[in-house]
Amino acid sequence: MPTTTPEVRMNKAELVHAVAERAGSSPAEARRHVDAVLASIVDGVSAGERVSLVGFGTFDSTSRPARTARNPRTGATVDVPAAVVPRFRIGAGFKAKVADAEGPTAARATATARKPVPAAGTAASAGGSKGSNSDGKKKAKKDAAKASTASSKKDAKGKKKSKKGKKSKKK
C-alpha cells in the first residue's frame, strides 16, 4: 500500500489572505478578486469554453457517456446517465514547480521517477544485462518466493515438517 503524506489544505480564506499579502491590498479587495477569477473560470467552463492559464493549467469540460455501474453494497446494477463534467489538466510550469518543491512530496516524486531508457545498440540495452528492468523484477519475485517457502516449512495442520519432508513418527 503506498504511503501518503499528511494532508495540508489551503481553504478559500487562507488563499484570500495570501493573495492580499502578495498584491499588497486589503483582504476585502483580494476576496473580490479571487471570487471574480473563480466565477470567470466556472462561467467559461459551464458555457463550454476552454480556460487556459499558461504555466498553470487548463480548465474545460468533457462528456461522459451513459453506463451501468454496480452498487458495491448490494451488487445491484445501476444505470448512470450521461453527464458533462469539469476537467482540469495541469500545466508544465505547475507540474515542474511541484516536482522541484522541497519536502516529502519531492522525495516521493524522485523515488517513483522512471529511470532513463538507454539508447538502442548500447550494452545496457541488450536483453540479458543485469540492469534490465524486467530481469530485476523477475529476480525480486524469485527471491521473495524462496524466502516465503524457506520460512514456511509446515504441513497443512501447521506442524513443522522434518528436513527430509517426511512426517516424524511418534514413539
Side-chain angles (χ1 to χ4, degrees), residues 95-113:
K95 193 181 291 188
K97 178 73 172 180
V98 171
D100 291 341
E102 296 290 330
T105 307
R108 187 177 63 222
T110 56
T112 59

Side-chain angles (χ1 to χ4, degrees), residues 94-159:
F94 188 179
K95 193 181 291 188
K97 178 73 172 180
V98 171
D100 291 341
E102 296 290 330
T105 307
R108 187 177 63 222
T110 56
T112 59
R114 293 185 178 188
K115 294 179 183 177
V117 178
T122 61
S125 67
S129 69
K130 288 184 180 180
S132 173
N133 209 10
S134 62
D135 290 344
K137 287 180 184 177
K138 288 178 185 176
K139 186 173 189 283
K141 283 183 181 179
K142 261 188 186 177
D143 292 343
K146 284 181 184 178
S148 67
T149 56
S151 64
S152 60
K153 299 278 186 180
K154 295 182 179 181
D155 64 3
K157 295 181 182 178
K159 296 180 182 179

Side-chain angles (χ1 to χ4, degrees), residues 5-18 105:
T5 58
E7 189 173 331
V8 179
R9 294 184 179 190
M10 176 185 276
N11 62 26
K12 189 173 179 181
E14 293 168 339
L15 177 62
V16 166
H17 180 71
T105 307

